[in-house]
Amino acid sequence: MDIHTLRKALDTPRKIVIIPHLKPDGDAMGSSLGLYHFLIQLNHLVTVITPTDYPAFLKWMPGKKTVEIYPFKKPKCERLIRDAEFIFCLDFNDISRIEPLDKIVGDATGTKIMIDHHTNPVPFEDIQYCDVTASSTCELIFRLLFDEWKEEKYMNQDIAACLYTGIMTDTGSFRFNSTTPDVHRIASRLMETGIAAHTIHEKVYDNFSENRLKLLGYCLLNCLRVVPEKQAAYFVIPKWVTEEYSMEAGDTEGIVNYALSIKGIRFATLMLEDEDRVKLSFRGKEGYVVNVFARNFQGGGHIYASGGKSFLSLAETEQKFLTLLHQTE
Ligand code: 5GP
Ligand code: MN
């Protein structure tokens, strides 16, 4: 099946689930809900299922009532996935990125459609609509619905607000080098629906809890280390710190970027001690490719934004990181 046959299949009402990656970000939620607002206009039965909870600063998005968070509604979500005729897999290209739903989705019989912009796919899908040069999965949803399928008559403010959110967050508010003229064309078309783009920015970025800001302050002061000779800087955040500041989903998002804002730094890392693992985030710029480095930590991602994990202790993870860092050119 290709995307045009898929469109024909969607002429008949279907049972559909949409699944973003775990710990969904603005692009994962924006693309899922943007697609949701299109599909419900075609009279499909659609549910967005997230593998884990998602940040409070995204919970204003239109359609949030349709979102089922798997850990809170396991039997219902499992039934919906089992019964689904179509399973849209958004903003990931490796089924391990939807843990703990990986096995359930892997075993499901519905047609799986992967829409994504990450490198190094580990194929599991039946249909794919992927482009690693795209700024975001939201950009790809726009291109699929409005450029390929020409569904202009279904454009509305709900779709626009969701897609705008993901494009804005994945481009760092239109400043990363993924911000092409086409990104601005799409943003412009979305704004023409009458959505207040500046309000979306405020809802996402001026929505910190007091604890989140204090957590950031603590990390900047106490958890940041700089390795000038490697043009690198990194955060090491022990679990007790995030507990002390009652961390919620999404609270550490963006902290890694502060390391990259230091003059002369081209490689930034964040090591966050979690329940059973250390979660790593990598960011690069000016030719410092990070997704290859991320493979040392069972990870991957984009050239300049990647992630990974380590099952060593936090101190051992830092040591491993430093050893690898000193081996780089
Ligand atoms: P973040 O640092 O925000 O968690 O992730 C940055 C980017 O790296 C995201 O685009 C995400 O898809 C990718 N990424 C994060 N963690 C992993 C991982 O464990 N494996 C892979 N393959 N990619 C990851
Ligand atoms: Mn994305």
Side-chain angles (χ1 to χ4, degrees):
M1 194 184 273
D2 64 17
I3 54 157
H4 295 289
T5 319
L6 170 67
R7 179 62 192 86
K8 282 201 192 73
L10 293 176
D11 281 337
T12 316
R14 306 281 186 179
K15 290 182 194 149
I16 297 177
V17 296
I18 302 174
I19 303 180
H21 58 73
L22 63 96
K23 297 192 178 169
D25 57 8
D27 188 33
M29 290 313 295
S31 55
S32 296
L33 286 170
L35 178 63
Y36 166 83
H37 287 296
F38 167 72
L39 291 173
I40 55 169
Q41 294 181 73
L42 302 182
N43 299 316
H44 298 296
L45 208 61
V46 192
T47 313
V48 174
I49 300 177
T50 64
T52 62
D53 202 358
Y54 63 102
F57 60 81
L58 296 175
K59 288 193 172 159
W60 58 270
M61 292 175 91
K64 94 175 175 67
K65 285 208 184 81
T66 174
V67 179
E68 297 290 1
I69 300 167
Y70 175 63
F72 305 156
K73 292 266 180 70
K74 285 188 178 174
K76 180 179 180 188
C77 293
E78 286 168 16
R79 179 174 46 77
L80 286 167
I81 294 169
R82 230 182 5 250
D83 293 348
E85 298 168 83
F86 290 93
I87 302 175
F88 284 88
C89 300
L90 301 195
D91 204 32
F92 64 93
N93 62 9
D94 174 343
I95 208 154
S96 71
R97 293 277 296 140
I98 54 169
E99 189 191 352
L101 284 175
D102 44 350
K103 174 123 184 32
I104 299 155
V105 171
D107 290 344
T109 52
T111 303
K112 292 166 199 150
I113 306 112
M114 178 203 285
I115 305 178
D116 183 57
H117 67 135
H118 292 92
T119 54
N120 305 110
V122 182
F124 63 86
E125 77 289 354
D126 303 300
I127 309 173
Q128 61 157 274
Y129 188 70
C130 296
D131 180 354
V132 295
T133 70
S135 65
S136 53
T137 299
C138 282
E139 175 183 338
L140 289 173
I141 294 288
F142 182 99
R143 286 203 230 150
L144 179 64
L145 304 189
F146 304 110
D147 295 342
E148 307 268 10
W149 289 350
K150 308 201 185 311
E151 303 285 5
E152 192 51 39
K153 64 177 181 293
Y154 293 108
M155 173 60 94
N156 61 29
Q157 291 195 348
D158 288 342
I159 296 178
C162 293
L163 297 186
Y164 190 92
T165 302
I167 295 174
M168 179 187 81
T169 53
D170 258 30
T171 59
S173 302
F174 303 94
R175 68 195 169 90
F176 298 156
N177 71 343
S178 54
T179 313
T180 58
D182 206 40
V183 166
H184 282 293
R185 168 188 68 98
I186 292 169
S188 163
R189 174 66 195 99
L190 297 174
M191 285 181 74
E192 278 166 7
T193 63
I195 56 163
H198 67 283
T199 320
I200 293 179
H201 196 279
E202 283 165 19
K203 283 177 183 157
V204 173
Y205 292 112
D206 300 341
N207 204 359
F208 277 28
S209 64
E210 186 180 334
N211 269 334
R212 187 181 174 196
L213 210 58
K214 287 185 172 162
L215 171 66
L216 170 63
Y218 184 91
C219 293
L220 290 172
L221 202 55
N222 302 297
C223 304
L224 177 63
R225 312 201 192 348
V226 182
V227 189
E229 69 275 20
K230 290 290 172 190
Q231 298 180 294
Y234 63 98
F235 290 94
V236 180
I237 308 178
K239 193 159 167 19
W240 71 263
V241 172
T242 50
E243 279 169 358
E244 177 85 13
Y245 292 98
S246 325
M247 186 179 79
E248 288 172 17
D251 276 359
T252 54
E253 216 172 288
I255 292 184
V256 63
N257 293 316
Y258 285 91
L260 212 54
S261 69
I262 302 169
K263 191 175 177 186
I265 298 302
R266 293 161 60 224
F267 179 35
T269 299
L270 179 133
M271 295 171 224
L272 179 71
E273 191 178 20
D274 207 343
E275 292 298 326
D276 64 334
R277 66 191 66 188
V278 177
K279 168 87 183 73
L280 293 101
S281 288
F282 304 102
R283 299 291 184 274
K285 67 176 185 185
E286 297 165 13
Y288 206 119
V289 172
V290 297
N291 56 1
V292 179
F293 193 91
R295 284 186 216 144
N296 295 306
F297 293 94
Q298 304 176 36
H302 309 281
I303 297 172
Y304 288 146
S306 299
K309 48 190 171 286
S310 157
F311 295 95
L312 302 169
S313 71
L314 187 60
E316 288 164 340
T317 303
E318 182 181 1
Q319 271 319 309
K320 176 176 170 182
F321 167 80
L322 284 172
T323 305
L324 290 163
L325 179 66
H326 287 291
Q327 284 166 4
T328 58
E329 292 291 300

